[in-house]
Amino acid sequence: MQSKIKLMPALLMCAFLGQAATAATSAATGDPLAPSARWSAYSIGRAATPPMGWSSWNAFGTDIDEAKVLGSAQRIVDSGLAAKGYRYINIDDGWAIRRQQTDGRLIIRPDRFPSSTSDQGSSFRPFTDKLHAMGLKAGIYSDLGRNTCSQAYSPDKTDLPQGSVAEREVGLYGHIDQDIALYFADWGFDFIKVDGCGLRAYGANSPKVRAGEFRALPPVLDLQSVNRSDIAAVQAEFKEINAALLRHNPDGDFLLSLCVWGAANVRAWGKDYGSLSRTSDDITPAWTRMLTNFDSAVRRELYAHPGSWNDPDMLFIGKGDFDAGHLTEARSHFSLWAMLNAPLMLGTDLRSTAPALMEIVGNADIIALNQDPAGNQATLAYDADDLAILVKQLDSGDKAVAIFNRGLAPIDADLTAEHLKLRKDAQVTLTDLWTKADSTFTGATKLRVAPRETRVFRVHGERTLAHGVYLSEQPGNVNPAVDGVTRPQPDPSIFRSSAGWSGTKGAGERPMYAGWGGARADSTPYGQTLHIGGAGYAAGVGVLANSRLEVRNKGYGRLTAEVGVDDSARDRNGAVTFMIYGDGKLLSRSKPLRWGQPAQPLSANLQGVKIVELVARSTAGDNEQLPVSWGNAALLSPGH
Ligand code: GLA
């Protein structure tokens, strides 16, 4: 038996529970803005860069079997994709047949996974051994509730768990420790996706519960209403899952994928609870649905960091609007997910995927953007209904830019040095990562972008800020530990497509993903340009009052910013004091500032400081009406 050794991973346990401890300390002092002197975003698990691999769901739904999964795994290896980083082979919903009532152990569908019956009892160990021997990693699926999504929504029972009501309860609820031990210690999985339908679809009034098919579980997740979701209850379960993951993975080799589709304000807190967190409902192979999912993550650049990524859902390359007849769309989908630092999870039957599509997902230059070690999600340098320009700061100091035409007409886009935060009097070199052609410009250039095309370039030039970096250029090192949002509300900026599964019945998709008012790079929390006292700032961080940003300092000597209440504030009376802390000590503080007053320059010496915290505190006033700006906030090299 090659089970992972069951030792308490003390160090890792502290790493995660430290988070809870900080929260408790803040709660105890009643002051969430007190400096914590630590980086509190999720950093356990193995997600230093976004995970890459394959998942069964988009290709097969619940109609899965071993041959299908291993066939795609084999193609990943044979095609060279594994060597390019695609390593996780994830089984989604549809693998379980029942929970054995004698001991609560889960049983795998024996007809679909024949190797699971070769051990004593039902086991995925032969299957994961095979994947591991191929140099791959293995992923499994479960649910926060007693039952899964397909049990709630599938019109057909063929692939669903069978037996009594209790036997069909294959979700984690009430079995967290037992199931996590089974998946990771006994079966050897390396990745788990935890869905939320069990906490959403099984209320006492749901037709299947009324019909006696399932036990009722009061819903705590309401996708349509953040107000009706019990956020603390959902978080508590993820905490318990994390504690179990640490107990049963002494080597720390696991990933936790949160799948609550942007509900319960998870777009704000997913970064503290899992390696990746879904920002929206499911993608479909439709262009417009891809846009919805893209939009659900693209303005959350400060909520993704190495260790914890925004997840706009798996790739749908290979089907519908992204099939071999739509290579422009397929390239766009891939480029955008790469720029967002989204997980690159292929969702097609790779046994029969066309070479042209294999080439797209195998573009090593685009993959390198996604896997860049700095972990900076791209930020929006230009944002309109038809065209977006996304810029990503790379570890080498170079940048990547994607110019995305969402619409139906070709666009001659102006790309300027300012978009890139590069000097307009120095030459900029562009390398097209699809055609590999090089070009140069100074100041500005025009680039033709075909309908639905995304042009992606690696960029080399001279930085505007020669001896430092704007905070908004490195979102991977900025964590909105407290973003000031006290009453989560739906984000109206997300494109609302028809959902696909419901056709056009009902009233359509309302704004439903909370997150409006969250911290932003180069923008106010409500999408305006940054302005203090009439002066505009192209660079900076916009956040609500009563917020605390954690910044990892990688050897910079000084932090400078021009701070104030943003001109877009509706609260004209609230006074805000800005503070810079270094490893918990106060380094600099502004006077109380009100709407209309000019920005106050702040500067702090960061010598030896590892964690900087930027606190904006207001004693009276309404956070949601009081956006503040850290204009030109920058880290400068020692001596500058
Ligand atoms: C939900 C998830 C999907 C998939 C299905 C499985 O809809 O969002 O990604 O896991 O459940 O039933």
Side-chain angles (χ1 to χ4, degrees):
M1 180 90 174
Q2 305 172 27
S3 65
K4 294 181 183 178
I5 325 149
K6 290 188 187 177
L7 282 177
M8 178 69 81
L11 210 79
L12 290 170
M13 195 65 157
C14 293
F16 181 71
L17 295 182
Q19 234 164 269
T22 306
T25 310
S26 307
T29 60
D31 185 5
L33 303 186
S36 68
R38 56 189 297 274
W39 178 259
S40 65
Y42 192 85
S43 53
I44 55 174
R46 286 282 161 83
T49 58
M52 297 171 63
W54 178 88
S55 166
S56 58
W57 183 252
N58 288 351
F60 304 116
T62 51
D63 185 15
I64 44 175
D65 64 39
E66 208 159 343
K68 287 175 176 166
V69 179
L70 291 175
S72 280
Q74 193 63 53
R75 182 103 196 264
I76 282 216
V77 173
D78 296 346
S79 64
L81 288 184
K84 290 178 174 169
Y86 291 91
R87 293 197 306 160
Y88 286 89
I89 303 296
N90 296 347
I91 302 178
D92 208 287
D93 204 353
W95 61 266
I97 187 81
R98 68 172 184 283
R99 188 180 289 281
Q100 191 162 272
Q101 291 306 292
T102 46
D103 56 2
R105 189 181 163 97
L106 288 161
I107 308 295
I108 302 154
R109 289 167 76 190
D111 54 331
R112 298 303 184 96
F113 292 90
S115 78
S116 70
T117 57
S118 61
D119 205 4
Q120 330 90 318
S122 184
S123 174
F124 263 129
R125 179 57 82 164
F127 171 80
T128 62
D129 279 350
K130 201 172 279 182
L131 289 176
H132 289 146
M134 294 164 80
L136 300 170
K137 299 271 187 188
I140 187 102
Y141 166 97
S142 191
D143 197 286
L144 288 166
R146 297 190 186 108
N147 301 96
T148 71
C149 290
S150 59
Q151 288 179 292
Y153 298 115
S154 172
D156 159 10
K157 292 192 180 150
T158 321
D159 299 325
L160 302 184
Q162 291 169 16
S164 65
V165 168
E167 282 175 313
R168 285 184 282 108
E169 292 180 349
V170 297
L172 285 169
Y173 197 84
H175 293 273
I176 290 177
D177 190 69
Q178 177 180 22
D179 289 0
I180 297 290
L182 180 70
Y183 298 150
F184 288 86
D186 289 359
W187 290 351
F189 281 99
D190 313 289
F191 179 116
I192 185 165
K193 169 173 168 181
V194 179
D195 228 326
C197 294
L199 298 186
R200 159 186 176 188
Y202 297 91
N205 285 329
S206 85
K208 288 184 179 178
V209 169
R210 287 167 76 117
E213 278 184 57
F214 299 106
R215 246 202 296 179
L217 193 58
V220 292
L221 269 170
D222 187 331
L223 193 44
Q224 264 71 41
S225 169
V226 67
N227 283 350
R228 290 189 175 278
S229 295
D230 183 344
I231 297 171
V234 184
Q235 290 176 333
E237 206 180 328
F238 279 128
K239 257 186 208 160
E240 211 179 317
I241 292 169
N242 269 301
L245 282 168
L246 288 171
R247 265 196 303 281
H248 300 296
N249 287 281
D251 58 1
D253 188 2
F254 66 87
L255 270 90
L256 172 61
S257 159
L258 315 186
C259 185
V260 297
W261 334 275
N265 198 28
V266 73
R267 290 163 82 242
W269 55 262
K271 67 180 177 62
D272 302 328
Y273 287 80
S275 320
L276 41 150
S277 175
R278 281 277 297 276
T279 48
S280 72
D281 208 339
D282 293 6
I283 192 168
T284 69
W287 178 254
T288 50
R289 192 68 196 171
M290 188 278 288
L291 292 179
T292 300
N293 285 38
F294 168 73
D295 284 349
S296 72
V298 71
R299 293 174 190 82
R300 307 302 289 173
E301 66 278 341
L302 292 171
Y303 293 79
H305 315 99
S308 186
W309 309 101
N310 286 322
D311 177 6
D313 206 358
M314 302 163 281
L315 294 162
F316 233 130
I317 292 169
K319 207 168 177 188
D321 289 347
F322 310 103
D323 69 7
H326 298 85
L327 297 181
T328 301
E329 287 83 351
R331 276 189 213 104
S332 275
H333 184 10
F334 192 63
S335 306
L336 296 171
W337 262 231
M339 292 294 281
L340 288 178
N341 288 351
L344 298 180
M345 291 294 173
L346 305 170
T348 191
D349 184 351
L350 291 174
R351 295 171 304 180
S352 55
T353 301
L357 294 173
M358 294 295 283
E359 229 175 84
I360 289 175
V361 302
N363 183 325
D365 291 330
I366 305 279
I367 292 171
L369 304 183
N370 178 264
Q371 296 292 301
D372 186 76
N376 295 317
Q377 179 173 320
T379 58
L380 277 162
Y382 180 88
D383 186 12
D385 282 350
D386 45 3
L387 189 101
I389 300 180
L390 292 153
V391 178
K392 188 181 204 296
Q393 172 79 37
L394 304 174
D395 197 45
S396 64
D398 280 355
K399 301 201 175 232
V401 63
I403 308 160
F404 172 35
N405 181 350
R406 300 166 68 116
L408 295 174
I411 297 182
D412 288 316
D414 297 300
L415 177 69
T416 67
E418 279 103 330
H419 286 138
L420 302 160
K421 295 189 169 60
L422 295 179
R423 279 177 54 174
K424 55 185 175 199
D425 55 353
Q427 180 171 288
V428 176
T429 307
L430 298 178
T431 305
D432 187 319
L433 299 186
W434 287 112
T435 67
K436 313 299 177 193
D438 285 331
S439 59
T440 58
F441 74 91
T442 304
T445 185
K446 268 206 195 295
L447 295 161
R448 170 143 285 224
V449 195
R452 294 185 171 178
E453 187 186 22
T454 304
R455 300 196 62 183
V456 188
F457 302 89
R458 206 176 160 108
V459 187
H460 184 75
E462 288 187 32
R463 305 170 51 75
T464 316
L465 198 63
H467 302 290
V469 63
Y470 290 114
L471 292 189
S472 58
E473 291 183 289
Q474 47 138 39
N477 285 321
V478 180
N479 176 34
V482 180
D483 65 10
V485 175
T486 56
R487 298 181 300 267
Q489 53 180 318
D491 179 343
S493 71
I494 298 168
F495 180 77
R496 294 172 292 127
S497 56
S498 349
W501 43 89
S502 59
T504 57
K505 292 194 220 71
E509 186 131 308
R510 309 283 182 166
M512 62 180 181
Y513 304 123
W516 189 227
R520 292 292 314 277
D522 301 338
S523 165
T524 74
Y526 302 122
Q528 305 296 313
T529 52
L530 301 170
H531 274 92
I532 307 169
Y537 294 87
V541 174
V543 64
L544 296 179
N546 290 316
S547 52
R548 179 169 61 83
L549 306 170
E550 296 164 355
V551 180
R552 274 193 290 221
N553 179 28
K554 307 247 170 98
Y556 288 100
R558 179 162 291 281
L559 186 137
T560 57
E562 292 164 48
V563 300
V565 171
D566 195 86
D567 289 355
S568 62
R570 284 189 284 173
D571 179 341
R572 299 207 168 182
N573 301 314
V576 181
T577 306
F578 295 76
M579 283 154 287
I580 304 174
Y581 293 89
D583 294 333
K585 287 198 211 74
L586 183 65
L587 303 179
S588 184
R589 173 191 200 116
S590 77
K591 61 183 188 202
L593 294 164
R594 289 194 163 74
W595 184 90
Q597 293 181 333
Q600 180 176 335
L602 279 190
S603 171
N605 181 344
L606 301 185
Q607 211 185 348
V609 167
K610 293 206 163 47
I611 298 291
V612 187
E613 285 166 271
L614 305 184
V615 173
R617 189 190 283 277
S618 150
T619 45
D622 180 346
N623 296 0
E624 263 88 359
Q625 313 289 337
L626 202 49
V628 302
S629 292
W630 295 83
N632 285 340
L635 292 163
L636 304 180
S637 302
H640 292 279

